[in-house]
Amino acid sequence: MQDYKEFLAETLIDEETLQTRIKELGAEISADYSDDNLLLICILRGGVPFLVDLSSHITSPHMMD
C-alpha cells in the first residue's frame, strides 16, 4: 500500500495547528455542554480518527456512535 503523502501536492494544515484546533474545539464543546450527556456521531468512516481525537479532549460525559 502506498503512503498517502506520495499523492499530495501540498500540506494545507500542519499537524501542530490541527492538534491545537482540536484541543480548542474539545474545550469549547466541554464548556458549552458541561451539564449534558453528549452523543458524538460519526457518519463517515474516514472521520473516526478525528472523532476519537476530539473525544479525548472533551471533559463532559459523552458516548460515541
Side-chain angles (χ1 to χ4, degrees):
M1 183 173 199
Q2 289 182 310
D3 186 5
Y4 72 91
K5 292 178 183 175
E6 295 176 19
F7 299 101
L8 296 179
E10 64 181 307
T11 301
L12 299 177
I13 302 172
D14 63 274
E15 186 174 353
E16 184 179 338
T17 303
L18 185 60
Q19 288 299 321
T20 299
R21 184 62 183 135
I22 291 171
K23 289 177 186 176
E24 292 170 354
L25 285 172
E28 289 177 30
I29 291 169
S30 297
D32 290 345
Y33 298 96
S34 60
D35 296 331
D36 297 329
N37 289 322
L38 296 174
L39 177 59
L40 306 175
I41 299 173
C42 185
I43 58 172
L44 299 173
R45 285 182 288 163
V48 172
F50 167 75
L51 188 63
V52 169
D53 201 11
L54 176 62
S55 175
S56 70
H57 298 289
I58 296 175
T59 58
S60 300
H62 62 279
M63 298 184 321
M64 291 190 295
D65 194 8

